[in-house]
Amino acid sequence: MKTPFFKAVLSIVRKDLRTELRSRELISSMGLFALLSILVFSFALELDRIARQEAISGVLWVTVVFASFLGLNRSLAMERDQGNLDAMLIAPIARTTIFFGKLVGNFLFTITVGLLLLPIMTVLYNVSLVQPLVLAVLFMGTFGFTTVGTLLATMTVQTRARENLLPIVMMPLALPLLLAAVKASTNLLTDSATEDWVAWVQILAMVDVVYLVMCYLLFEYVIEE
Amino acid sequence: MTETSTTRSLVEIRSLVKAFGVLPVLRQLDLTIEKGEFVALLGPNGSGKSTLIRLLSGLSKPTAGTIHIGGWELPQEAAAVRAQIGLVSHRPLLYENLSARENLVFFSRLYNLPKDAANARIDDLLVRVGLGRRTGDMVRTFSRGMQQRLSIARALLHSPAVLLFDEPYTGLDQDAAAILDDLLTDTHAAGQTIIMVTHQLNQAAKLASRVVILSRGKIGYDAPTNGLDTLQLASIYTQTTSMATAKQ
């Protein structure tokens, strides 16, 4: 009786991509915010090469995280404000398909902004960020952050102070993930020994898996009245 | 599905209670609706009409009591129930940045309709609701009346057994309301079971085959509309709702 899981997820992702391609609401606000942030940081951090290498991963993650807050809030608010969440909830689909559909969309929007940042930051800070391992950490960190963000934005979007509430409830939960992502990318960019970054990448992967499973299990309770 | 499903009415509500915290909104409600009926649910604000629609559509869970739709029980068999209901709310439940057709295609996928059958059904419904020439236009360019008509097409897409309307006339001008009247009449004439929450007594008297008045979470009046005009219904409505207030 239920619509197949992947068909429903894919439909939601396609719908999100199509509406975003038309309106460019999320990407433009996230991209503009990210661009302004790295410009401000580049003016403020006129440091020597080593200091820049150590600070740059912090700049990257602060920018990605705050741009992602904008996207997460807006993505769920669009569903809520037009009542479309109800329209999806009365369809014969598993509740978790809504979670995965929104998660994939949110991840794609955030990673697009992250990927745009890397070459711009490489030029601005004169530190090569376009490296396969840095890209892998960016993917893993962004995935974990948007996973927990999609769950929490579904909760906070139902409140009046949603824009303020999401960062407040999300930061403590996302802290282990951000710590691992920042440490892994800092160690990679400062050419530290392999054992210095491998452990952080392993922690990041583990936190991603734990958050994904937790959010999958909790989403049905969050979305219910 | 329960064993007795073949003998059940299309909608069966037994001893339904819904409370928000300690505040009861629906109190021991019993209601049975047969296939093909057009039930107008009336009542003052806060009487529990919209709460009942949310319970019937599976958007909310009962505090106590049972709801069966087409023999399937809520909330245990929610997916099966959801496949049998269509909801038209006072909000259009549509994506503004998608065209009329794209909206219906998206929902046809969520309802797992086969692609060819879905395309044919979408074409047919868009013509039926008078949007045959606007299929490629973005919903954000539609008037409120056009959005509401598209919303009806969305709700009818999967041929639901029961169509739920929650104050569908909200924000419609007279012309749009008249078009909606015609659509509801045609839909009911095609054998569709309809439950409509409304404050419009004239629409209830004109379109519905049965009127149920809710007052303070209980059914105060339940009878067929046979020949009932708006003035008579208004009188019954006032008596029913004022009696409930007096009892308090």
Side-chain angles (χ1 to χ4, degrees), chain A residues 2-4 7 11 14-15 18 22-23 79-80 82-84 86 89-93 95 225, chain B residues 18 20 54 57 59-60 79-80 82 87 91 93-95 97-98 102 106-107 109-112 138:
Chain A
K2 273 185 186 173
T3 304
K7 184 178 181 181
S11 303
R14 283 169 69 170
K15 180 266 298 172
R18 184 166 287 185
R22 295 250 165 83
S23 67
E79 301 287 357
R80 178 79 187 171
Q82 294 168 25
N84 296 320
D86 282 354
L89 287 171
I90 58 165
I93 55 174
R95 302 298 205 222
E225 168 195 76
Chain B
K18 178 66 186 176
F20 295 105
R54 286 187 71 80
S57 57
L59 288 170
S60 190
R82 290 201 297 264
L87 174 68
R91 291 188 294 179
L93 314 187
L94 297 164
Y95 291 92
N97 287 318
L98 294 183
E102 284 168 346
F106 168 64
F107 286 106
R109 286 186 184 132
L110 291 192
Y111 283 90
N112 200 24
M138 295 299 123

